[in-house]
Amino acid sequence: MKKRPVVFSLVREQSLFMTTIMAVLTFLATVALGIALAIGTGAIRWNNQWDLYATVQVSDSTKINSVEKILNENKSKLESVRKISESEMIELMKSWVDDESALKNYLPTMWEIKFKNDSDLKSIQQQIDKNGQFLTHASALKKPISTGWRLVAVCGLMLIIMISAIGTCILYITKNTAMLHRRELEILNQIGANDSFVSRQMQIIVGKISTIAASIGFVCALPILWLILSVARASRTGLMAMITLNCFDWGLLILLPIAIIIFAIMVTKKTTIHILENQ
């Protein structure tokens, strides 16, 4: 069956502008979503990694035996127990205190413990709190985790701004095209063409441009995301070393340009029909 030709189209300058701006915005949106997903995944992994870890500090030497007794009595509930040596603590504090001999007088006795489950952690914490300081790694790392979620929120806000900018560009292009082709629209109305037929012409045009632009933006964003992830993992420190993209994250990234194309087509249809009804 012979295809019907498109009744009107965007002028060359409009096509180039729309393709360029949508490619750039898709690129930025993909990078923003990729970073948000990577940091979010890293924050979850980081939090889960330390949920069952805790450090016990005893500054009062008279209570060291009591803490050791509690740990020995609850060995079945512990995955591992490691007493941190004095040399290790001195090494950790070396950048803060130069005089090692003075430092030794203030060092507490410390254990690093990994529990088998969360209920065991809470029960032993209640016993140790009377003799020393019990600090879970998850609570100690709340600030970096909180910072990670704030970065996710910022990236999410950037993504919303990009999508809004795409919608604004489509609105402008559609309205401008309707003004340029006012005469053709009048003729179409006179010969009985309905609004859905006219809007479909614009949807075909915008759909083609959006597909090309979204593909370009997405492909260009992938190496940037790989670079960001590789640099973060190379740091091997803290939350940065944990950020990554899993299969679900990549699935969402692939769906983003598709969603942008569908969004562009929907905005075009709604805007075109609104213009036709009010002209």
Side-chain angles (χ1 to χ4, degrees):
M1 188 174 71
K2 189 176 181 181
K3 292 184 179 179
R4 293 180 180 179
V6 177
V7 176
F8 53 85
S9 62
L10 303 182
V11 297
R12 185 172 181 273
E13 288 77 11
Q14 285 182 325
S15 298
L16 288 174
F17 169 77
M18 191 169 178
T19 303
T20 303
I21 196 68
M22 284 196 68
V24 172
L25 291 173
T26 302
F27 167 82
L28 294 174
T30 303
V31 172
L33 179 61
I35 293 174
L37 291 172
I39 295 176
T41 302
I44 292 170
R45 289 178 63 197
W46 178 267
N47 195 36
N48 292 339
Q49 181 185 14
W50 302 114
D51 266 354
L52 298 177
Y53 279 90
T55 298
V56 175
Q57 300 180 17
V58 181
S59 300
D60 188 347
S61 58
T62 60
K63 295 182 177 181
I64 293 175
N65 290 334
S66 298
V67 172
E68 286 183 331
K69 183 180 178 182
I70 293 170
L71 295 176
N72 289 329
E73 290 175 350
N74 292 277
K75 272 188 176 180
S76 60
K77 299 177 181 179
L78 308 179
E79 187 75 32
S80 63
V81 181
R82 188 175 73 88
K83 190 173 184 179
I84 300 175
S85 66
E86 190 176 89
S87 59
E88 285 181 279
M89 286 188 280
I90 291 174
E91 186 65 29
L92 289 170
M93 299 297 294
K94 189 179 292 183
S95 57
W96 301 93
V97 180
D98 293 330
D99 189 354
E100 292 184 13
S101 59
L103 183 61
K104 288 181 181 180
N105 298 324
Y106 300 97
L107 289 176
T109 302
M110 295 177 64
W111 291 266
E112 185 181 77
I113 307 168
K114 183 180 180 182
F115 295 85
K116 290 184 176 180
N117 55 62
D118 189 57
S119 59
D120 290 338
L121 183 149
K122 290 177 180 177
S123 65
I124 295 175
Q125 179 178 6
Q126 292 174 354
Q127 300 175 51
I128 292 179
D129 277 341
K130 301 173 184 178
N131 300 285
Q133 185 179 6
F134 188 99
L135 182 65
T136 61
H137 288 198
S139 62
L141 296 167
K142 276 184 179 179
K143 285 188 177 180
I145 291 172
S146 175
T147 301
W149 288 120
R150 288 175 188 172
L151 288 172
V152 170
V154 170
C155 292
L157 179 61
M158 287 179 61
L159 179 61
I160 293 171
I161 292 172
M162 302 307 166
I163 299 297
S164 301
I166 290 172
T168 303
C169 290
I170 294 167
L171 285 172
Y172 170 77
I173 292 294
T174 305
K175 289 180 179 179
N176 196 30
T177 302
M179 294 297 294
L180 289 172
H181 296 279
R182 182 188 294 271
R183 183 60 180 166
E184 289 93 326
L185 293 175
E186 291 174 356
I187 295 171
L188 287 170
N189 284 332
Q190 289 173 6
I191 63 176
N194 56 31
D195 292 348
S196 62
F197 172 80
V198 178
S199 68
R200 192 157 53 248
Q201 310 306 306
M202 281 298 298
Q203 284 180 284
I204 292 170
I205 299 163
V206 173
K208 289 179 179 178
I209 291 174
S210 300
T211 302
I212 295 170
S215 301
I216 294 171
F218 181 75
V219 170
C220 291
L222 291 182
I224 302 299
L225 282 176
W226 278 114
L227 180 62
I228 292 171
L229 291 174
S230 61
V231 169
R233 284 195 292 266
S235 66
R236 299 183 179 276
T237 56
L239 179 61
M240 291 292 287
M242 302 297 291
I243 71 172
T244 187
L245 290 171
N246 55 36
C247 294
F248 177 75
D249 296 336
W250 281 113
L252 288 178
L253 279 175
I254 293 170
L255 287 175
L256 177 63
I258 298 172
I260 288 174
I261 294 168
I262 295 171
F263 172 72
I265 293 171
M266 290 175 63
V267 170
T268 301
K269 180 180 180 180
K270 188 174 181 180
T271 305
T272 304
I273 291 178
H274 178 75
I275 292 170
L276 293 172
E277 288 176 348
N278 292 278
Q279 68 173 354

